[in-house]
Structures are given as C-alpha cells and as structure tokens.
Amino acid sequence: MAVTEPVTEGAFGGARAAHEGILRRQSARESRARTYARALPIVPVRARGLTIEGADGRRYLDCLSGAGTLALGHNHPVVLEAIRKVLDSGAPLSVLDLATPVKDAFITELFRTLPPGLADRARVQFCGPAGTDAVEAAFKLVRAATGRTGILAFTGAYHGMTTGALAASGGAGDVRVARLPYPQDYRCPFGVGGPRGAELAARWTETVLDDPKSGIPLPAGMILEPVQGEGGVIPAPDDWLRRMRRLTADRSIPLIADEIQTGVGRTGAFWAVEHSGVTPDVMVLSKAIGGSLPLAVVVYRDDLDVWEPGAHAGTFRGNQLAMAAGTATLAHVRENALAERAGLLGSRMLTQLRRLQDDFACVGDVRGRGLMIGVELVDPEGEGPAGPAEGRAKDEKEAMETKEAMGEAGARGTGGAVRVPADAVRVPGDAVSEWDGEARPGPRPAAPELASAVQRACLERGLIVELGGRHAGVVRLLPPLTITDEQAAAVLDRLADAVAAVARDPAAHGARPRRPEGRKEPAD
C-alpha cells in the first residue's frame, strides 16, 4: 500500500477534506475532455524524482512521468538550478525567435546528441510548445520541399491531436493519409509475427510505393515512431526500420522520425533510431527536451530548408526557461550515460515482468524497449482471432489433415502447440515464429476493463501507471531515467501484486473480462 506521512487524525481529516474539495471543484469546472484526472484521482502538491505526494498526504511512485516528459523525474536539482539561473539573471523569458545565449546553448547541446549523419548538416525549427505542432511543421516542411502532398503513416500511430497530426494517427476518423501496417509480434496483422511478419509489412509498403495502380501517389514524406507508445508500446524491429530507410531514400521520400516520447534516452539509446543505425531526414522532438517545461522542435537536413520567412511560427517558440531546463536535461543524460542505464535496467524489468505471463492467463504480452514498457491485459476466457471454439476446432482439424497429407505434421507439445516448418500450412489464428517454427495460439481479445482494474489496484498500492494500446488494454510504465534499482524493485512488486489481486477477483476491482467494443481514442 502507499506510504503515508505520520499525521494526527485531525490533520489527516483536514487534508482529506481539502483533497476531496479540489477534486470536486475540478469535476464541476473543467472540461469533459480531461483524461488522466478521471483515472488518477489524486491532487499532487509536492514531487521529487520518482515520488509524488498528494494533498491527502499519500505518496506515490510515478511511472507516468508526465507521459514521458520527465526524463530526470520531478524537480531534479540540475533542472531547478538552470531555471533559477535564468530567473536570477534578469534575462527575458519569451523572445519569439530572437537569438539569445540560452537558445544558443540549447541548440549546441541538442546538436551534440543528434545522430552523426544528421548533426553534421542539421537545421532546427522551434515551433509552438506542444509536440503536435512540431508534427504539423514537419508535414508542411516536407510538402514544401518535395512539392508533393501525401503522407505515409502506420497503423497504431499517435502523433498528436491537431488536424494534420491526428490524421496521421491510428484513431483518425477522416482519412487523409495513406496507412501502412506497423510490424508487431503479438498481434501481427498477417498472423505470423517475428521477422517474417516484419518482412511482410515491409513488402506491403514497397508494393504500395511501386505499384502504379495502388492508388497512392509518391508521397511528400513518411512518418513513424521507432517505438509506438500510445499504440501499445510496440518497438519497431531494427531490420524493418532499416528497410523503411532504404525504401524512402531510394525514392527520395523524406523519412520523419517521431521521437517525441522515445527521445532523450528513454529506449536505451539517446534517440531510438540509433538502435537500428538509421539516420532520418527529419526528427520531431518534444516532451523530455524541455526538461519538464513546454518545448517542441523539428530538426531536419539542410537541403530541406526551403521555408519562407514566417512559413511556420508560434508565439511561445522562444520559451527561455524551457530551453535552459532542456539544456540541463540533455547534458545530464549524456554525461551520466542515463540512456545506457535505461537500456540495462529496462531489460531486467522486462525479464521479471514476463514471469507474469507464466503466472496469470490475463497477461497476454510483456514488451518494450529500455524504460518504455507495456503489459497487455487480455480476456483469459476469450477466443483468439480464429473465432468461436467450434470453428477453431474445425479449422485445426482441417489444417492438421492437410499437414499430415504433406508429411509435415509435428508432435503435440506443451499447451497443444504444433511444431511445423515456418512455411508449412498454418492453423488459422496461430502465429508461427520465423526463428523457431513454433506454432502458438493467436492472441486473446484485449481486456480494457482488466487493464483499468489493474491501474486502480496500482494506485491503491501507491503506484501511478498509464494505459494505452488499441483498446486501452496495455498497462504502461514510463519511469524517469533516474529511477534506482530499489525503486524499480518496488515498482515491479506493486504492479505484480496489483495484477495478482485483479486476476484472483476481477469483479472485486470493478472489472468483467469481455471483448472490447468499438475504438477508444488515445489518452493524451
């Protein structure tokens, strides 16, 4: 359970009343569009590092981190010092796009961290303070540079909530962007997963680009996330990402990497594209680059710099406090090798969390990269994509007869899996891993109610987590890069305890496992 400060009964009652009053007034006065406040009914009053203290005196371990904004956690000393230095200097706080020593220091540090192939010839455009505005700017840039209009994006993507950014996201309602399959293992759109599934996704993209009858003209650019965050914490395979780079380079299509959430060490490299050795033409950056304050930029190759003066602007693009905090954050992450530590610690956390799959049928998959981790909750009684049990049994019988006729039927193993060659006839709904030829049951339906129950159970235990994924069925961990080994152990213990409690008695936590209905928009 959450740790609380020792207080008198009267003091606790007063704190609780103040806490409830603030929440009540928020509900009465703020927009129905609020999101996190609904699932996390807390009133933060103090915070440091991983820890938040609420107005009611309770303390929480924060694995939301401002949706990945707080690379160094809350109120890190180097960030506070950088902000105070600007405040004490008498420097202007907002300067539009004028040059200042604070901006110069920020750009210098940013360029020091960029992939070498981009840093050597980069330009930077400061945008409005939100990442979605940087996405809009990137789209305008590549359209101006190429003279083309279309954008290629991927299923499951999330790029923001303004019109152009939302159109390129997975939940778009009015499609103005060509959509391509994003490779994933657990819910592979081709039903195979692994390298084979990624290869099929790449072939589809190549066909769309080269088929004169695909209905998709040569686009102005392709945008992708090296790890899909809101899409369910799905890392792009490195080989697939390199393939996308080759496909776009060969056809003079600018490649836009959305590193808004993956950047600044989050995935175990300073920028997530570095895992694959890919150098994009454009990088869209926000969240952590402002050191917890609003800041967004687009970094791109100099030959794309065809802007006319004022072609993209924003009143608050000269936020000096955010630039100072960002410089301090970028330097601290770089100088203290926090990206490398995120990779090592994240790998250990993933290994431990995967034990939940063995212990609880409601845990369908555990995945991630670095300190960007997702645990997908599924309906343990639900059927996979093959459909009802009767139909699945019939499909299995027919497939087995076909395999036997071909002389390729394997022996039954643990859990009823069938070992077959990777290119053999497959049982509908099964996924075959390219690397071992192992057939496994298709994924069960997502369980958003179970995920919400786990989130509530975590909060009861003093742990703040986020939900994401196609049906908000993925519990997400985005702890700060400064999390200690001891804190990581506490996070895992509380999460495991919450999952166990919900698995034992879903109804007691307000959940009824069921197949998700309809689609749910991203939480932010």
Side-chain angles (χ1 to χ4, degrees):
M1 297 296 290
V3 178
T4 59
E5 289 289 348
V7 293
T8 65
E9 183 175 347
F12 179 81
R16 170 60 66 179
H19 161 90
E20 292 178 350
I22 291 171
L23 291 179
R24 187 168 55 252
R25 288 189 292 276
Q26 180 188 40
S27 178
R29 299 188 295 202
E30 288 191 28
S31 165
R32 289 176 56 85
R34 67 190 188 282
T35 55
Y36 297 109
R38 297 178 185 274
L40 303 169
I42 61 176
V43 180
V45 293
R46 278 176 293 276
R48 187 65 171 257
L50 182 68
T51 305
I52 284 180
E53 182 179 337
D56 58 356
R58 298 185 71 199
R59 287 183 177 175
Y60 303 87
L61 301 180
D62 181 14
C63 282
L64 174 58
S65 297
T69 298
L70 306 172
L72 303 184
H74 294 277
N75 292 321
H76 193 282
V78 303
V79 173
L80 296 182
E81 181 183 0
I83 293 173
R84 290 192 187 103
K85 186 176 179 179
V86 173
L87 292 174
D88 293 343
S89 72
L93 300 183
S94 188
V95 294
L96 300 175
D97 63 359
L98 301 179
T100 70
V102 173
K103 178 193 279 190
D104 184 63
F106 173 80
I107 294 174
T108 299
E109 183 59 41
L110 176 63
F111 277 37
R112 187 178 286 133
T113 71
L114 293 175
L118 183 58
D120 295 343
R121 49 180 305 190
R123 294 289 185 272
V124 60
Q125 164 75 18
F126 287 84
C127 308
T132 188
D133 189 59
V135 171
E136 299 284 354
F139 290 170
K140 288 168 65 175
L141 174 73
V142 297
R143 284 168 172 152
T146 64
R148 303 189 290 263
T149 58
I151 298 292
L152 296 179
F154 291 87
T155 54
Y158 180 73
H159 299 293
M161 293 299 291
T162 50
T163 302
L166 187 59
S169 300
D174 181 14
V175 177
R176 302 175 184 177
V177 175
R179 200 78 49 183
L180 300 168
Y182 190 92
Q184 53 176 311
D185 197 17
Y186 186 60
R187 297 189 185 277
C188 175
F190 305 103
V192 293
R196 180 61 175 163
E199 168 64 19
L200 291 173
R203 287 189 188 182
W204 180 269
T205 299
E206 188 170 13
T207 297
V208 164
L209 290 172
D210 293 344
D211 182 357
K213 295 295 184 180
S214 70
I216 299 173
L218 194 66
M222 172 190 285
I223 186 169
L224 56 79
E225 299 160 276
V227 181
Q228 287 194 343
E230 293 296 333
V233 192
I234 304 172
D238 292 337
D239 285 343
W240 175 84
L241 196 51
R242 286 189 283 267
R243 182 81 171 270
M244 293 303 101
R245 173 67 284 186
R246 289 195 299 272
L247 289 176
T248 52
D250 290 347
R251 294 159 181 79
S252 298
I253 301 170
L255 177 63
I256 305 167
D258 183 340
E259 291 259 14
I260 289 173
Q261 191 166 99
T262 55
V264 194
R266 169 66 53 190
T267 68
F270 208 100
W271 307 107
V273 291
E274 294 179 291
H275 291 291
S276 60
V278 163
T279 300
D281 303 299
V282 182
M283 289 176 64
V284 181
L285 313 176
S286 188
K287 291 190 185 289
I289 66 163
S292 75
L293 298 178
L295 188 66
V297 301
V298 182
V299 181
Y300 51 90
R301 268 194 356 254
D302 55 4
D303 60 303
L304 297 173
D305 194 23
V306 298
W307 289 121
E308 293 293 331
H312 194 84
T315 300
F316 294 105
R317 65 192 186 277
N319 187 334
Q320 297 293 279
L321 291 182
M323 292 177 191
T327 302
T329 298
L330 294 171
H332 191 80
V333 171
R334 177 179 57 81
E335 292 168 359
N336 292 275
L338 293 187
E340 291 81 353
R341 172 169 164 72
L344 293 172
L345 181 57
S347 179
R348 292 203 302 268
M349 293 176 71
L350 280 169
T351 297
Q352 295 181 58
L353 285 171
R354 284 180 176 133
R355 297 171 187 165
L356 296 176
Q357 290 177 263
D358 299 326
D359 296 338
F360 304 105
C362 63
V363 178
D365 194 31
V366 176
R367 54 186 179 259
R369 198 158 205 174
L371 291 176
M372 194 170 180
I373 296 172
V375 178
E376 181 163 351
L377 278 297
V378 297
D379 182 350
E381 304 299 327
E383 286 294 323
E390 299 89 335
R392 183 175 178 79
K394 180 175 181 293
D395 289 339
E396 289 179 348
K397 182 175 182 295
E398 292 177 352
M400 281 299 299
E401 289 173 352
T402 303
K403 292 172 184 175
E404 288 169 357
M406 296 172 64
E408 294 179 346
R412 286 278 175 181
T414 303
V418 181
R419 182 171 293 278
V420 297
D423 58 351
V425 176
R426 299 187 179 102
V427 175
D430 281 357
V432 179
S433 301
E434 182 75 10
W435 53 88
D436 64 4
E438 180 74 21
R440 62 186 186 271
R444 292 188 174 100
E449 290 192 0
L450 286 181
S452 293
V454 169
Q455 185 184 42
R456 289 190 294 271
C458 283
L459 195 64
E460 292 170 2
R461 289 156 176 78
L463 176 63
I464 298 172
V465 296
E466 184 180 12
L467 298 184
R470 301 313 207 261
H471 299 285
V474 179
V475 175
R476 300 182 59 199
L477 298 178
L478 292 165
L481 310 188
T482 52
I483 184 174
T484 66
D485 290 348
E486 293 77 15
Q487 289 173 329
V491 166
L492 296 180
D493 286 346
R494 297 183 193 193
L495 177 57
D497 191 50
V499 171
V502 172
R504 281 194 306 268
D505 192 352
H509 293 82
R512 291 181 301 102
R514 63 178 177 82
R515 190 179 299 271
E517 299 175 359
R519 296 184 179 183
K520 187 173 183 179
E521 293 298 328
D524 64 357

